[in-house]
Amino acid sequence: MRGFIPPQTQDEIVFCKKALTLCENSEKFNIKTFSTFLDLRQKELFISQFNKCHGIILDFYAGFEGDSERCIAGVCNEFDKIYTYDYPISILYSKINCDDNITHRDFLGAIMNLMIKREYIGDIIVKNDECFITCHNSMAPILISELKKVKHSFVNFEYYDKSLSYDREFSITKSTTVASLRLDAVVSAILNSSRSTATTFINQGLVSINHLVSKRTDFEIIDGDIISIRGKGKYKLNFDGGKSRKDRYFIAYSKY
């Protein structure tokens, strides 16, 4: 199991200060407090700040059940409880033109063009001819009134008041072996390239693990890590520690 990785950038240091203040306010004023949407790295950092406080409990919710990448942290008194309806999360829904091949990236780009910060947008689920957007309550009216076109298709979002569950679908799943669980070895296997090519991607800051950019070629990968390679896709790693007769690790990776 990988240990906690402390803040690596000034942005992460600032984030930790804000997270600690949020937890302290819940402890001091006995109120429920909520973050904006957190990615996997921010979730890890938030937990590290929560652990500095006492007498409070921590929960996370993405707005739906199933496989999510972004969630909101909720903090309250240890004798209280946070319910799903307490979270400042709205789910929006629209039919889409599936013939236009609109992707998650297209929707995210259209939302960013509205000058909405990423932290106010949760998961964007695109499947068949439907799109679901989880967002902070404060952003829902803006998206409903302003998000009317994505790529070449017109959309019309409205509040979705039913329960939602989602299991992520992967475009490919492959198995292979690697000499070690170092980042450069795993990236090389995913890209089916040389170790030097993988090293170049890593050194240029094009590879992140669970939303944390790493320029360390010897960074050790663990089961369940999500590796993003800019321009090449996002992959979820799975392995159980098994080795081949040649002492190579068996791994499997699925592309989003």
Side-chain angles (χ1 to χ4, degrees), residues 106-147:
D106 296 322
F107 277 98
L108 181 59
I111 293 171
M112 294 299 98
N113 286 338
L114 297 178
M115 305 304 290
I116 295 176
K117 293 183 178 179
R118 185 65 180 92
E119 64 196 70
Y120 288 99
I121 304 297
D123 284 73
I124 301 173
I125 300 171
V126 181
K127 58 179 184 179
N128 300 325
D129 60 347
E130 298 177 312
C131 177
F132 299 88
I133 298 174
T134 56
C135 66
H136 194 279
N137 286 344
S138 61
M139 294 296 108
I142 298 175
L143 290 172
I144 290 174
S145 64
E146 300 297 330
L147 186 57

mmCIF file of all heavy atoms in Angstrom, residues 106-147:
data_model
loop_
_atom_site.group_PDB
_atom_site.id
_atom_site.type_symbol
_atom_site.label_atom_id
_atom_site.label_comp_id
_atom_site.label_asym_id
_atom_site.label_seq_id
_atom_site.Cartn_x
_atom_site.Cartn_y
_atom_site.Cartn_z
ATOM 1 N N ASP A 106 -16.165 16.873 -25.086
ATOM 2 C CA ASP A 106 -16.927 17.925 -25.758
ATOM 3 C C ASP A 106 -17.813 18.674 -24.766
ATOM 4 O O ASP A 106 -17.898 19.907 -24.802
ATOM 5 C CB ASP A 106 -17.796 17.329 -26.877
ATOM 6 C CG ASP A 106 -16.971 16.703 -27.985
ATOM 7 O OD1 ASP A 106 -15.918 17.268 -28.327
ATOM 8 O OD2 ASP A 106 -17.376 15.641 -28.506
ATOM 9 N N PHE A 107 -18.487 17.925 -23.897
ATOM 10 C CA PHE A 107 -19.342 18.563 -22.896
ATOM 11 C C PHE A 107 -18.519 19.391 -21.919
ATOM 12 O O PHE A 107 -18.888 20.524 -21.585
ATOM 13 C CB PHE A 107 -20.160 17.514 -22.137
ATOM 14 C CG PHE A 107 -21.407 17.088 -22.846
ATOM 15 C CD1 PHE A 107 -21.436 15.930 -23.588
ATOM 16 C CD2 PHE A 107 -22.554 17.869 -22.784
ATOM 17 C CE1 PHE A 107 -22.594 15.531 -24.258
ATOM 18 C CE2 PHE A 107 -23.710 17.486 -23.452
ATOM 19 C CZ PHE A 107 -23.739 16.320 -24.183
ATOM 20 N N LEU A 108 -17.400 18.852 -21.474
ATOM 21 C CA LEU A 108 -16.565 19.584 -20.528
ATOM 22 C C LEU A 108 -16.037 20.867 -21.156
ATOM 23 O O LEU A 108 -16.016 21.929 -20.518
ATOM 24 C CB LEU A 108 -15.405 18.705 -20.062
ATOM 25 C CG LEU A 108 -14.462 19.340 -19.032
ATOM 26 C CD1 LEU A 108 -15.223 19.750 -17.776
ATOM 27 C CD2 LEU A 108 -13.330 18.373 -18.681
ATOM 28 N N GLY A 109 -15.628 20.793 -22.420
ATOM 29 C CA GLY A 109 -15.144 21.988 -23.105
ATOM 30 C C GLY A 109 -16.218 23.053 -23.221
ATOM 31 O O GLY A 109 -15.949 24.247 -23.020
ATOM 32 N N ALA A 110 -17.451 22.635 -23.530
ATOM 33 C CA ALA A 110 -18.557 23.592 -23.643
ATOM 34 C C ALA A 110 -18.843 24.246 -22.299
ATOM 35 O O ALA A 110 -19.143 25.446 -22.223
ATOM 36 C CB ALA A 110 -19.803 22.881 -24.168
ATOM 37 N N ILE A 111 -18.737 23.466 -21.224
ATOM 38 C CA ILE A 111 -18.974 24.008 -19.878
ATOM 39 C C ILE A 111 -17.870 24.979 -19.495
ATOM 40 O O ILE A 111 -18.134 26.059 -18.946
ATOM 41 C CB ILE A 111 -19.066 22.857 -18.859
ATOM 42 C CG1 ILE A 111 -20.324 22.016 -19.115
ATOM 43 C CG2 ILE A 111 -19.086 23.401 -17.432
ATOM 44 C CD1 ILE A 111 -20.394 20.744 -18.305
ATOM 45 N N MET A 112 -16.615 24.641 -19.785
ATOM 46 C CA MET A 112 -15.502 25.529 -19.460
ATOM 47 C C MET A 112 -15.602 26.837 -20.241
ATOM 48 O O MET A 112 -15.174 27.892 -19.758
ATOM 49 C CB MET A 112 -14.163 24.844 -19.763
ATOM 50 C CG MET A 112 -13.849 23.623 -18.890
ATOM 51 S SD MET A 112 -13.715 23.938 -17.121
ATOM 52 C CE MET A 112 -15.353 23.448 -16.542
ATOM 53 N N ASN A 113 -16.186 26.792 -21.443
ATOM 54 C CA ASN A 113 -16.370 28.012 -22.228
ATOM 55 C C ASN A 113 -17.369 28.968 -21.575
ATOM 56 O O ASN A 113 -17.410 30.156 -21.918
ATOM 57 C CB ASN A 113 -16.847 27.673 -23.637
ATOM 58 C CG ASN A 113 -15.733 27.095 -24.498
ATOM 59 O OD1 ASN A 113 -14.548 27.302 -24.233
ATOM 60 N ND2 ASN A 113 -16.099 26.345 -25.528
ATOM 61 N N LEU A 114 -18.167 28.457 -20.641
ATOM 62 C CA LEU A 114 -19.099 29.303 -19.888
ATOM 63 C C LEU A 114 -18.419 29.943 -18.678
ATOM 64 O O LEU A 114 -19.080 30.595 -17.871
ATOM 65 C CB LEU A 114 -20.298 28.471 -19.422
ATOM 66 C CG LEU A 114 -21.179 27.869 -20.523
ATOM 67 C CD1 LEU A 114 -22.293 27.019 -19.898
ATOM 68 C CD2 LEU A 114 -21.781 28.967 -21.391
ATOM 69 N N MET A 115 -17.105 29.742 -18.566
ATOM 70 C CA MET A 115 -16.296 30.300 -17.484
ATOM 71 C C MET A 115 -16.703 29.747 -16.114
ATOM 72 O O MET A 115 -16.638 30.442 -15.094
ATOM 73 C CB MET A 115 -16.389 31.838 -17.478
ATOM 74 C CG MET A 115 -16.032 32.497 -18.801
ATOM 75 S SD MET A 115 -14.367 32.023 -19.388
ATOM 76 C CE MET A 115 -13.352 32.877 -18.188
ATOM 77 N N ILE A 116 -17.120 28.492 -16.109
ATOM 78 C CA ILE A 116 -17.441 27.805 -14.863
ATOM 79 C C ILE A 116 -16.207 27.041 -14.413
ATOM 80 O O ILE A 116 -15.585 26.317 -15.192
ATOM 81 C CB ILE A 116 -18.622 26.831 -15.049
ATOM 82 C CG1 ILE A 116 -19.889 27.616 -15.393
ATOM 83 C CG2 ILE A 116 -18.853 26.001 -13.791
ATOM 84 C CD1 ILE A 116 -21.087 26.730 -15.690
ATOM 85 N N LYS A 117 -15.821 27.187 -13.154
ATOM 86 C CA LYS A 117 -14.639 26.516 -12.641
ATOM 87 C C LYS A 117 -14.863 25.009 -12.567
ATOM 88 O O LYS A 117 -15.951 24.554 -12.247
ATOM 89 C CB LYS A 117 -14.276 27.067 -11.261
ATOM 90 C CG LYS A 117 -13.806 28.518 -11.274
ATOM 91 C CD LYS A 117 -13.403 28.973 -9.880
ATOM 92 C CE LYS A 117 -12.895 30.409 -9.892
ATOM 93 N NZ LYS A 117 -12.513 30.867 -8.527
ATOM 94 N N ARG A 118 -13.803 24.266 -12.828
ATOM 95 C CA ARG A 118 -13.894 22.802 -12.849
ATOM 96 C C ARG A 118 -14.375 22.240 -11.513
ATOM 97 O O ARG A 118 -15.053 21.206 -11.479
ATOM 98 C CB ARG A 118 -12.521 22.211 -13.195
ATOM 99 C CG ARG A 118 -12.544 20.673 -13.364
ATOM 100 C CD ARG A 118 -13.384 20.306 -14.559
ATOM 101 N NE ARG A 118 -13.457 18.862 -14.804
ATOM 102 C CZ ARG A 118 -14.400 18.060 -14.319
ATOM 103 N NH1 ARG A 118 -15.328 18.560 -13.512
ATOM 104 N NH2 ARG A 118 -14.416 16.775 -14.613
ATOM 105 N N GLU A 119 -14.044 22.887 -10.421
ATOM 106 C CA GLU A 119 -14.387 22.364 -9.096
ATOM 107 C C GLU A 119 -15.892 22.367 -8.831
ATOM 108 O O GLU A 119 -16.346 21.736 -7.875
ATOM 109 C CB GLU A 119 -13.692 23.189 -8.011
ATOM 110 C CG GLU A 119 -14.141 24.635 -7.946
ATOM 111 C CD GLU A 119 -13.199 25.513 -7.147
ATOM 112 O OE1 GLU A 119 -12.076 25.767 -7.637
ATOM 113 O OE2 GLU A 119 -13.583 25.918 -6.036
ATOM 114 N N TYR A 120 -16.669 23.048 -9.682
ATOM 115 C CA TYR A 120 -18.120 23.083 -9.505
ATOM 116 C C TYR A 120 -18.832 22.044 -10.379
ATOM 117 O O TYR A 120 -20.054 21.966 -10.359
ATOM 118 C CB TYR A 120 -18.662 24.478 -9.816
ATOM 119 C CG TYR A 120 -18.296 25.489 -8.753
ATOM 120 C CD1 TYR A 120 -17.215 26.349 -8.924
ATOM 121 C CD2 TYR A 120 -19.013 25.565 -7.560
ATOM 122 C CE1 TYR A 120 -16.857 27.263 -7.938
ATOM 123 C CE2 TYR A 120 -18.673 26.478 -6.578
ATOM 124 C CZ TYR A 120 -17.590 27.315 -6.769
ATOM 125 O OH TYR A 120 -17.242 28.209 -5.792
ATOM 126 N N ILE A 121 -18.040 21.272 -11.109
ATOM 127 C CA ILE A 121 -18.605 20.243 -11.985
ATOM 128 C C ILE A 121 -18.097 18.878 -11.537
ATOM 129 O O ILE A 121 -16.900 18.675 -11.352
ATOM 130 C CB ILE A 121 -18.214 20.472 -13.460
ATOM 131 C CG1 ILE A 121 -18.644 21.877 -13.909
ATOM 132 C CG2 ILE A 121 -18.831 19.404 -14.348
ATOM 133 C CD1 ILE A 121 -20.155 22.101 -13.867
ATOM 134 N N GLY A 122 -19.025 17.939 -11.354
ATOM 135 C CA GLY A 122 -18.649 16.594 -10.970
ATOM 136 C C GLY A 122 -18.459 15.711 -12.186
ATOM 137 O O GLY A 122 -17.867 16.124 -13.185
ATOM 138 N N ASP A 123 -18.991 14.506 -12.134
ATOM 139 C CA ASP A 123 -18.867 13.591 -13.262
ATOM 140 C C ASP A 123 -19.832 13.972 -14.383
ATOM 141 O O ASP A 123 -20.945 14.446 -14.136
ATOM 142 C CB ASP A 123 -19.171 12.165 -12.812
ATOM 143 C CG ASP A 123 -18.029 11.555 -12.025
ATOM 144 O OD1 ASP A 123 -17.840 11.956 -10.859
ATOM 145 O OD2 ASP A 123 -17.322 10.710 -12.572
ATOM 146 N N ILE A 124 -19.384 13.765 -15.605
ATOM 147 C CA ILE A 124 -20.219 13.940 -16.799
ATOM 148 C C ILE A 124 -20.383 12.567 -17.425
ATOM 149 O O ILE A 124 -19.396 11.942 -17.837
ATOM 150 C CB ILE A 124 -19.561 14.919 -17.794
ATOM 151 C CG1 ILE A 124 -19.346 16.286 -17.129
ATOM 152 C CG2 ILE A 124 -20.426 15.066 -19.048
ATOM 153 C CD1 ILE A 124 -18.538 17.260 -17.986
ATOM 154 N N ILE A 125 -21.601 12.089 -17.468
ATOM 155 C CA ILE A 125 -21.877 10.741 -17.961
ATOM 156 C C ILE A 125 -22.555 10.833 -19.325
ATOM 157 O O ILE A 125 -23.646 11.406 -19.443
ATOM 158 C CB ILE A 125 -22.775 9.972 -16.976
ATOM 159 C CG1 ILE A 125 -22.091 9.864 -15.609
ATOM 160 C CG2 ILE A 125 -23.121 8.595 -17.522
ATOM 161 C CD1 ILE A 125 -22.993 9.319 -14.521
ATOM 162 N N VAL A 126 -21.905 10.302 -20.342
ATOM 163 C CA VAL A 126 -22.457 10.295 -21.692
ATOM 164 C C VAL A 126 -22.648 8.842 -22.110
ATOM 165 O O VAL A 126 -21.681 8.074 -22.164
ATOM 166 C CB VAL A 126 -21.520 11.000 -22.696
ATOM 167 C CG1 VAL A 126 -22.133 10.989 -24.091
ATOM 168 C CG2 VAL A 126 -21.239 12.427 -22.247
ATOM 169 N N LYS A 127 -23.878 8.467 -22.377
ATOM 170 C CA LYS A 127 -24.133 7.099 -22.829
ATOM 171 C C LYS A 127 -25.311 7.093 -23.790
ATOM 172 O O LYS A 127 -26.347 7.700 -23.545
ATOM 173 C CB LYS A 127 -24.398 6.170 -21.643
ATOM 174 C CG LYS A 127 -25.545 6.561 -20.743
ATOM 175 C CD LYS A 127 -25.709 5.540 -19.614
ATOM 176 C CE LYS A 127 -26.918 5.851 -18.737
ATOM 177 N NZ LYS A 127 -27.084 4.850 -17.673
ATOM 178 N N ASN A 128 -25.098 6.410 -24.905
ATOM 179 C CA ASN A 128 -26.113 6.327 -25.954
ATOM 180 C C ASN A 128 -26.552 7.729 -26.363
ATOM 181 O O ASN A 128 -25.750 8.526 -26.816
ATOM 182 C CB ASN A 128 -27.290 5.465 -25.496
ATOM 183 C CG ASN A 128 -26.861 4.057 -25.149
ATOM 184 O OD1 ASN A 128 -25.959 3.507 -25.775
ATOM 185 N ND2 ASN A 128 -27.474 3.460 -24.134
ATOM 186 N N ASP A 129 -27.823 8.065 -26.185
ATOM 187 C CA ASP A 129 -28.313 9.389 -26.591
ATOM 188 C C ASP A 129 -28.696 10.227 -25.381
ATOM 189 O O ASP A 129 -29.595 11.054 -25.443
ATOM 190 C CB ASP A 129 -29.516 9.246 -27.532
ATOM 191 C CG ASP A 129 -30.672 8.500 -26.885
ATOM 192 O OD1 ASP A 129 -30.459 7.892 -25.819
ATOM 193 O OD2 ASP A 129 -31.784 8.533 -27.435
ATOM 194 N N GLU A 130 -27.975 10.028 -24.270
ATOM 195 C CA GLU A 130 -28.269 10.766 -23.043
ATOM 196 C C GLU A 130 -26.995 11.322 -22.427
ATOM 197 O O GLU A 130 -25.914 10.753 -22.568
ATOM 198 C CB GLU A 130 -28.954 9.859 -22.020
ATOM 199 C CG GLU A 130 -30.300 9.304 -22.466
ATOM 200 C CD GLU A 130 -30.882 8.369 -21.428
ATOM 201 O OE1 GLU A 130 -30.137 7.475 -20.957
ATOM 202 O OE2 GLU A 130 -32.071 8.520 -21.090
ATOM 203 N N CYS A 131 -27.149 12.441 -21.732
ATOM 204 C CA CYS A 131 -26.033 13.012 -20.965
ATOM 205 C C CYS A 131 -26.535 13.422 -19.588
ATOM 206 O O CYS A 131 -27.589 14.056 -19.464
ATOM 207 C CB CYS A 131 -25.421 14.218 -21.675
ATOM 208 S SG CYS A 131 -24.094 15.007 -20.718
ATOM 209 N N PHE A 132 -25.774 13.052 -18.561
ATOM 210 C CA PHE A 132 -26.055 13.457 -17.190
ATOM 211 C C PHE A 132 -24.859 14.266 -16.688
ATOM 212 O O PHE A 132 -23.712 13.851 -16.869
ATOM 213 C CB PHE A 132 -26.265 12.245 -16.286
ATOM 214 C CG PHE A 132 -27.424 11.372 -16.685
ATOM 215 C CD1 PHE A 132 -27.252 10.342 -17.599
ATOM 216 C CD2 PHE A 132 -28.681 11.580 -16.141
ATOM 217 C CE1 PHE A 132 -28.310 9.525 -17.966
ATOM 218 C CE2 PHE A 132 -29.745 10.771 -16.502
ATOM 219 C CZ PHE A 132 -29.564 9.745 -17.416
ATOM 220 N N ILE A 133 -25.126 15.396 -16.068
ATOM 221 C CA ILE A 133 -24.067 16.224 -15.490
ATOM 222 C C ILE A 133 -24.349 16.408 -14.006
ATOM 223 O O ILE A 133 -25.441 16.851 -13.627
ATOM 224 C CB ILE A 133 -23.991 17.607 -16.163
ATOM 225 C CG1 ILE A 133 -23.665 17.479 -17.651
ATOM 226 C CG2 ILE A 133 -22.944 18.481 -15.471
ATOM 227 C CD1 ILE A 133 -23.710 18.810 -18.393
ATOM 228 N N THR A 134 -23.391 16.059 -13.154
ATOM 229 C CA THR A 134 -23.508 16.388 -11.739
ATOM 230 C C THR A 134 -22.766 17.705 -11.520
ATOM 231 O O THR A 134 -21.645 17.884 -11.997
ATOM 232 C CB THR A 134 -22.909 15.294 -10.843
ATOM 233 O OG1 THR A 134 -21.540 15.064 -11.210
ATOM 234 C CG2 THR A 134 -23.691 13.996 -10.996
ATOM 235 N N CYS A 135 -23.400 18.609 -10.816
ATOM 236 C CA CYS A 135 -22.810 19.933 -10.616
ATOM 237 C C CYS A 135 -23.204 20.480 -9.252
ATOM 238 O O CYS A 135 -24.133 19.992 -8.601
ATOM 239 C CB CYS A 135 -23.245 20.889 -11.724
ATOM 240 S SG CYS A 135 -25.013 21.278 -11.731
ATOM 241 N N HIS A 136 -22.502 21.504 -8.829
ATOM 242 C CA HIS A 136 -22.854 22.205 -7.598
ATOM 243 C C HIS A 136 -24.176 22.927 -7.818
ATOM 244 O O HIS A 136 -24.451 23.445 -8.900
ATOM 245 C CB HIS A 136 -21.758 23.209 -7.240
ATOM 246 C CG HIS A 136 -21.854 23.745 -5.851
ATOM 247 N ND1 HIS A 136 -22.709 24.771 -5.521
ATOM 248 C CD2 HIS A 136 -21.221 23.390 -4.699
ATOM 249 C CE1 HIS A 136 -22.589 25.039 -4.230
ATOM 250 N NE2 HIS A 136 -21.698 24.215 -3.702
ATOM 251 N N ASN A 137 -25.002 22.951 -6.789
ATOM 252 C CA ASN A 137 -26.325 23.580 -6.904
ATOM 253 C C ASN A 137 -26.272 24.980 -7.492
ATOM 254 O O ASN A 137 -27.152 25.376 -8.269
ATOM 255 C CB ASN A 137 -26.997 23.644 -5.530
ATOM 256 C CG ASN A 137 -27.504 22.298 -5.062
ATOM 257 O OD1 ASN A 137 -27.631 21.365 -5.850
ATOM 258 N ND2 ASN A 137 -27.792 22.178 -3.776
ATOM 259 N N SER A 138 -25.227 25.733 -7.147
ATOM 260 C CA SER A 138 -25.136 27.118 -7.596
ATOM 261 C C SER A 138 -24.926 27.247 -9.097
ATOM 262 O O SER A 138 -25.218 28.298 -9.687
ATOM 263 C CB SER A 138 -23.999 27.838 -6.856
ATOM 264 O OG SER A 138 -22.758 27.205 -7.124
ATOM 265 N N MET A 139 -24.413 26.175 -9.728
ATOM 266 C CA MET A 139 -24.132 26.221 -11.157
ATOM 267 C C MET A 139 -25.271 25.684 -12.010
ATOM 268 O O MET A 139 -25.304 25.896 -13.227
ATOM 269 C CB MET A 139 -22.857 25.421 -11.469
ATOM 270 C CG MET A 139 -21.589 26.004 -10.882
ATOM 271 S SD MET A 139 -21.188 27.639 -11.578
ATOM 272 C CE MET A 139 -21.575 28.684 -10.167
ATOM 273 N N ALA A 140 -26.211 24.976 -11.396
ATOM 274 C CA ALA A 140 -27.287 24.333 -12.163
ATOM 275 C C ALA A 140 -28.105 25.327 -12.991
ATOM 276 O O ALA A 140 -28.342 25.085 -14.185
ATOM 277 C CB ALA A 140 -28.188 23.533 -11.221
ATOM 278 N N PRO A 141 -28.566 26.449 -12.424
ATOM 279 C CA PRO A 141 -29.356 27.392 -13.241
ATOM 280 C C PRO A 141 -28.585 27.937 -14.433
ATOM 281 O O PRO A 141 -29.165 28.162 -15.509
ATOM 282 C CB PRO A 141 -29.706 28.512 -12.246
ATOM 283 C CG PRO A 141 -29.611 27.869 -10.899
ATOM 284 C CD PRO A 141 -28.484 26.898 -11.014
ATOM 285 N N ILE A 142 -27.275 28.144 -14.254
ATOM 286 C CA ILE A 142 -26.457 28.664 -15.353
ATOM 287 C C ILE A 142 -26.355 27.645 -16.478
ATOM 288 O O ILE A 142 -26.508 27.982 -17.665
ATOM 289 C CB ILE A 142 -25.047 29.038 -14.835
ATOM 290 C CG1 ILE A 142 -25.146 30.155 -13.789
ATOM 291 C CG2 ILE A 142 -24.146 29.471 -15.998
ATOM 292 C CD1 ILE A 142 -23.820 30.497 -13.149
ATOM 293 N N LEU A 143 -26.123 26.394 -16.118
ATOM 294 C CA LEU A 143 -26.011 25.356 -17.137
ATOM 295 C C LEU A 143 -27.332 25.156 -17.876
ATOM 296 O O LEU A 143 -27.352 24.969 -19.099
ATOM 297 C CB LEU A 143 -25.573 24.041 -16.491
ATOM 298 C CG LEU A 143 -24.127 24.006 -15.969
ATOM 299 C CD1 LEU A 143 -23.882 22.738 -15.181
ATOM 300 C CD2 LEU A 143 -23.138 24.118 -17.115
ATOM 301 N N ILE A 144 -28.433 25.197 -17.147
ATOM 302 C CA ILE A 144 -29.740 25.016 -17.772
ATOM 303 C C ILE A 144 -30.048 26.141 -18.756
ATOM 304 O O ILE A 144 -30.572 25.907 -19.858
ATOM 305 C CB ILE A 144 -30.847 24.926 -16.699
ATOM 306 C CG1 ILE A 144 -30.709 23.605 -15.930
ATOM 307 C CG2 ILE A 144 -32.238 25.018 -17.333
ATOM 308 C CD1 ILE A 144 -31.651 23.487 -14.753
ATOM 309 N N SER A 145 -29.682 27.360 -18.404
ATOM 310 C CA SER A 145 -30.024 28.511 -19.252
ATOM 311 C C SER A 145 -29.000 28.786 -20.352
ATOM 312 O O SER A 145 -29.354 29.319 -21.417
ATOM 313 C CB SER A 145 -30.193 29.768 -18.392
ATOM 314 O OG SER A 145 -28.965 30.114 -17.752
ATOM 315 N N GLU A 146 -27.719 28.406 -20.123
ATOM 316 C CA GLU A 146 -26.667 28.808 -21.054
ATOM 317 C C GLU A 146 -26.097 27.676 -21.900
ATOM 318 O O GLU A 146 -25.594 27.913 -23.000
ATOM 319 C CB GLU A 146 -25.519 29.469 -20.283
ATOM 320 C CG GLU A 146 -25.916 30.718 -19.512
ATOM 321 C CD GLU A 146 -26.404 31.833 -20.407
ATOM 322 O OE1 GLU A 146 -25.943 31.907 -21.572
ATOM 323 O OE2 GLU A 146 -27.243 32.631 -19.956
ATOM 324 N N LEU A 147 -26.143 26.440 -21.403
ATOM 325 C CA LEU A 147 -25.563 25.331 -22.158
ATOM 326 C C LEU A 147 -26.610 24.807 -23.141
ATOM 327 O O LEU A 147 -27.430 23.952 -22.808
ATOM 328 C CB LEU A 147 -25.111 24.223 -21.205
ATOM 329 C CG LEU A 147 -24.348 23.047 -21.854
ATOM 330 C CD1 LEU A 147 -23.110 23.534 -22.601
ATOM 331 C CD2 LEU A 147 -23.974 22.010 -20.804
#
